[in-house]
Amino acid sequence: MAEKEVMNGGHLTGLEEADLKSLDTDALKLAEMGYKQDLKRNYTVLSVLGVGFSLTNSWWGISAALITGISSGGPVLYVYGIILLALISTCVAITLSELASAYPNAGGQYFWANELAPRRYANFTSYLTGWLGWAGSVFTTASVALGTGAAAVGCWALSHPDYVIHPWHTFIAYQVMNIFAFLFNCYGKTLPVLGQVTLWTSLVSFFVILVAIPAKAPTHQHAKFVFANFVNSTGWSQNGIAFIVGLINTNYAFACLDCATHLSEEIHHPEKMIPVAILGTVAIGFVTSWTYSISLFFSMNDFETLSATSTGVPILALFYQALGSKAGAITLEALIIATGIGCLIACHTWQSRLCWSFARDHGIPFSSYFAKVNPRLDVPLRAHFLSCALVAIVACLYLGSYVAFNSMVTACIVLLYLSYSIPVICLLIRGRNNIVHGPFWTGRLGLFANIVLLLWTSFTLIMYSFPPVMPVMADNMNYVSAVYGVLAIIIAADWFIRGRRQYRGQAERHNETAAFVRETGQEKAGHEVYESAEQM
């Protein structure tokens, strides 16, 4: 009987005949890819959109990144940078949507890379993509935990004028937020509802702030200040460079668009629903972040004091300027914090699915342990705990160097782009028309989107490595290259010590799927999968 059970963290090594007959269409498609249906499909398109937008949460990202963006372009950076990033993110969304529609799998980009790469290079290509995506998710979660924790500490500082903020205060708040979000992700049945709750929390908070700040501000800036005022306090003599290094802040507001793809095994008809969630995230993100930014800058009355605020939270200082009330400012900041907590919960959902799906293909050490799904809680609890523990450890970097921690935030953006680009390169080498298309396929528009993604990834890899301010010193340097170097060492060491022997790649999955197809008599259903495999 043991040989007929599903082993190795959820991939196929044989199934009972009764189990095979009970598979629905979505589970059968997943089985054809070489995986067992471990998680229940409890999500709807609205709840997936809720998780996806709650994670990207563009207007919240603008609030969190305001502390650095106001010196690298000021209003111009946000007004025009958001438009630029929304257009680029639309191309990213189209690219991800096409691949998610063709290959709906919780592994997302690392699974796509494994399917699309030439067989000789498929395992390492997929392995590298998985590590880049997972590292990007951990770093992103750390940045959200810091932003939310810092906002809470800032509220306390505003209400207590004699209070002096120390790094360990923010560290403690960071860890509290991380643990809080961890607990929310420990019960799978509530997560779809929670996704919708966090979506509406974000939208209601956005609307309240959008209306309240302009309505209560004692004075308003003229249109030239909002649409033509460029601020360069970076030390860079060229305004263009200052604008480019500042784009990190607006780019942060459109990061993590792959989130919905990692819920592909928890929603019915993912080949149709996931593209809706991804594109919807970009659309809502642009509308909210652009109108939010314009509202803030029209309501600003003392631009110079924001970056020097004792709270360490410029958006809180802006609320205080506009309302003239500490209680009112803290109330609005509480909405920011509530939205940030929703964002952090979505981050944990995202990174746990990435870790779990990667572990079931032996992408990380001790993968057989971390690939298990808790059947009672319906979550990959072990993978979730591992990712959250890493987020907690990363916070120690903040105690040592705030600048180094910020470099890690920059890395999360570029690492995710790299993880998107690798399967796209494989797709273009193989030929866009040489794969079985999903319901969402845009033809030439998709090709254009692919090229834009690759060009933007190359641009960010170079330009986001520039120092944010000049002259460069040890306490203001951009250490993102060091982050890349450390991650490269970890990936290379694990690959040569363990990964190259243990990683479950394209060939093994296809062999298991072939056995599955023979056993179930589903040759027709599996034909497309193997036709694509044989073309490599």
Side-chain angles (χ1 to χ4, degrees), residues 223-243:
K224 183 178 180 181
F225 173 85
V226 176
F227 295 101
N229 182 34
F230 189 88
V231 178
N232 182 2
S233 304
T234 63
W236 283 100
S237 58
Q238 303 94 340
N239 285 343
I241 297 296
F243 180 83

Side-chain angles (χ1 to χ4, degrees), residues 365-530:
F366 309 106
S367 55
S368 59
Y369 179 82
F370 292 112
K372 304 296 183 182
V373 172
N374 187 298
R376 184 169 59 88
L377 300 176
D378 193 32
V379 292
L381 190 62
R382 296 174 181 178
H384 176 41
F385 180 83
L386 173 62
S387 291
C388 292
L390 291 176
V391 172
I393 293 170
V394 163
C396 298
L397 185 62
Y398 177 80
L399 291 176
S401 171
Y402 176 71
V403 175
F405 188 93
N406 276 349
S407 297
M408 187 191 61
V409 175
T410 300
C412 81
I413 298 172
V414 180
L415 290 175
L416 289 173
Y417 278 139
L418 288 172
S419 75
Y420 306 159
S421 295
I422 292 174
V424 170
I425 292 172
C426 296
L427 173 65
L428 296 181
I429 291 174
R430 184 170 176 179
R432 285 174 51 84
N433 291 324
N434 292 329
I435 69 168
V436 178
H437 301 164
F440 183 88
W441 192 259
T442 59
R444 291 183 179 179
L445 177 60
L447 175 60
F448 175 78
N450 296 162
I451 294 172
V452 170
L453 169 60
L454 295 180
L455 291 175
W456 184 249
T457 301
S458 301
F459 177 84
T460 58
L461 182 62
I462 297 171
M463 301 306 298
Y464 287 2
S465 299
F466 277 38
V469 297
M470 294 290 286
V472 179
M473 294 180 288
D475 62 349
N476 64 15
M477 181 179 174
N478 188 344
Y479 291 96
V480 68
S481 297
V483 176
Y484 299 151
V486 171
L487 182 61
I489 292 172
I490 294 173
I491 293 173
D494 184 61
W495 173 255
F496 286 108
I497 293 172
R498 182 202 59 83
R500 61 178 176 172
R501 292 179 290 102
Q502 297 181 6
Y503 189 67
R504 177 179 179 257
Q506 179 190 111
E508 185 178 349
R509 282 191 299 97
H510 289 166
N511 289 337
E512 288 182 9
T513 308
F516 168 77
V517 169
R518 288 193 297 271
E519 183 176 351
T520 59
Q522 299 291 338
E523 286 85 356
K524 183 176 181 180
H527 176 70
E528 292 180 345
V529 175
Y530 289 98

Side-chain angles (χ1 to χ4, degrees), residues 125-149:
T125 300
S126 173
Y127 174 86
L128 175 62
T129 304
W131 268 98
L132 294 175
W134 185 37
S137 72
V138 170
F139 293 163
T140 301
T141 305
S143 70
V144 175
L146 179 67
T148 309

